[in-house]
Amino acid sequence: MSKLQVFATAVLMVTALPVHAAQPGAARGGEYPLKPIRILVGFTPGGGPDITARYIAQKLTEEFKQQVIVDNRPGAGGTIAANLAATANPDGYTLLSVSSAHAVAPAIYAKLPYDVLRDLAGISLSAVSKYVLVVAPSSGFKSTKDLLAAARAKPGQLNFSSAGTGSGTHFAAEQLKSMAKIDVVHIPFKGIPEAVTEAMTGRVQFFMAPIANAVSLIREGRLTGLGVSSLRRDELLPNVPTIAESGVPGYDSVLWFGLLTAGKTPRPLINTLNREVTRLLGDAELRKRWAPIGLDPRPTTPAAFDKLIAEDIVLYARLAKAGNIKAQ
């Protein structure tokens, strides 16, 4: 079962929450919320954690009749914001919007000021997206198999770009490197735009690009899409096969986004937030709005999100060890 299928199953579990668990009064002596709520985002505006947080903030403001504020605190791969959330009063008024990088942090930072699993608790996954393996049209590579054959013929001579050491784009490529058993060199850049440009010009041989950043460039012929990172093809690029069907069976790497809060937050409060987030992410209009940018709304139970994070921590730790990857 793929990660996306696991997420879909978890959506059905959300509706099974006990009614009494969703009552805010069960966790506090009065109604929740009584004051504004803050959603911390450990990255600059415009990325997936920010986009999903702003939609959730807007809808929760309407539902709760209390202002929900997005507070961007970029730096250190999202760990600055994560530490603020982990050490905040566990009263449901400080939330944290994260990406897959949240599960990467324990693998690449020698010591974090918080425990990812103990000090933070999942509310719900908010959305998932995919990567697409891209190369320059001038590269001559027509398929993932072509690229892998070239890498095997020239060990250590092909390279790939990423949006920075420890980024999701880095680990998606490291997972490909591990599963395909190829020796390729990592070239980190400051962000996705730079990594895309390097691939587009052919100065690096490939890039695992977030699908939203690559769709238009592939359609315009400025990039060639060789493979999608999930087990199923993506409707935005229906003619691009999956990497799994193109020579790397079982390859499945998704980019996810979700909402957390302080680990000691009372479970009834978490269930209240989960109920509201699940409802608003189920809006058909939201699916239409996010589809063109490669975001698929995917709410889960708090337990399912916690489980995903724990599993990805293990995966990223293994990849980091194999590739000797450390934060720079």
Side-chain angles (χ1 to χ4, degrees):
M1 184 179 289
S2 73
K3 286 183 180 179
L4 293 179
Q5 289 172 318
V6 171
F7 299 157
T9 301
V11 173
L12 298 178
M13 295 167 58
V14 172
T15 59
L17 286 173
V19 174
H20 70 271
Q23 300 302 315
R28 295 173 55 84
E31 292 295 321
Y32 168 86
L34 297 171
K35 61 181 182 179
I37 298 169
R38 178 175 60 152
I39 302 180
L40 293 164
V41 179
F43 303 91
T44 54
D50 182 73
I51 292 170
T52 53
R54 289 184 186 280
Y55 179 83
I56 291 170
Q58 175 192 341
K59 293 300 181 179
L60 287 183
T61 294
E62 296 170 2
E63 179 63 25
F64 286 149
K65 310 303 181 189
Q66 281 283 359
Q67 190 173 13
V68 181
I69 305 161
V70 174
D71 184 359
N72 295 86
R73 297 295 185 95
T79 61
I80 293 173
N83 188 48
L84 288 172
T87 56
N89 191 357
D91 56 6
Y93 289 98
T94 301
L95 312 181
L96 174 69
S97 182
V98 297
S99 71
S100 308
H102 180 67
V104 170
I108 65 172
Y109 289 96
K111 187 176 181 180
L112 290 172
Y114 58 91
D115 184 293
V116 174
L117 298 177
R118 183 192 63 218
D119 296 333
L120 290 159
I123 294 171
S124 175
L125 196 71
S126 53
V128 296
S129 189
K130 303 165 188 174
Y131 301 99
V132 57
L133 173 58
V134 296
V135 298
S138 60
S139 69
F141 299 130
K142 302 300 182 183
S143 67
T144 299
K145 289 182 179 180
D146 287 347
L147 176 64
L148 297 181
R152 289 168 182 147
K154 301 177 180 179
Q157 294 185 44
L158 271 63
N159 51 42
F160 65 92
S161 60
S162 82
T165 299
S167 66
T169 59
H170 180 194
F171 273 86
E174 289 290 341
Q175 187 173 344
L176 175 65
K177 177 180 175 180
S178 174
M179 293 183 68
K181 296 180 172 58
I182 56 175
D183 179 10
V184 289
V185 180
H186 174 223
I187 310 294
F189 291 91
K190 292 182 178 180
I192 290 172
E194 295 87 350
V196 167
T197 298
E198 295 301 305
M200 196 160 52
T201 59
R203 286 191 289 268
V204 299
Q205 277 65 60
F206 70 93
F207 175 47
M208 293 296 298
I211 198 164
N213 300 94
V215 169
S216 61
L217 295 172
I218 291 171
R219 290 173 177 170
E220 294 166 7
R222 299 169 67 189
L223 280 173
T224 298
L226 301 184
V228 175
S229 70
S230 59
L231 293 178
R232 291 185 178 182
R233 296 192 183 194
D234 192 274
E235 61 185 23
L236 291 177
L237 296 169
N239 296 323
V240 177
T242 67
I243 293 172
E245 67 181 288
S246 306
V248 192
Y251 181 85
D252 182 23
S253 181
V254 296
L255 176 62
W256 51 257
F257 309 98
L259 206 60
L260 304 166
T261 191
K264 293 182 180 179
T265 302
R267 185 55 50 176
L269 266 182
I270 289 177
N271 289 340
T272 294
L273 287 162
N274 175 267
R275 178 194 62 195
E276 296 301 331
V277 170
T278 296
R279 182 185 57 77
L280 66 90
L281 290 177
D283 184 8
E285 286 302 313
L286 173 63
R287 192 168 296 275
K288 292 179 182 179
R289 180 190 300 186
W290 280 2
I293 56 174
L295 287 176
D296 181 12
R298 200 64 62 93
T300 63
T301 62
F305 188 27
D306 286 336
K307 182 173 183 289
L308 168 65
I309 294 170
E311 290 175 347
D312 274 3
I313 286 173
V314 174
L315 169 64
Y316 294 138
R318 177 174 60 79
L319 292 173
K321 183 177 180 180
N324 193 29
I325 304 166
K326 299 178 181 178
Q328 295 179 341

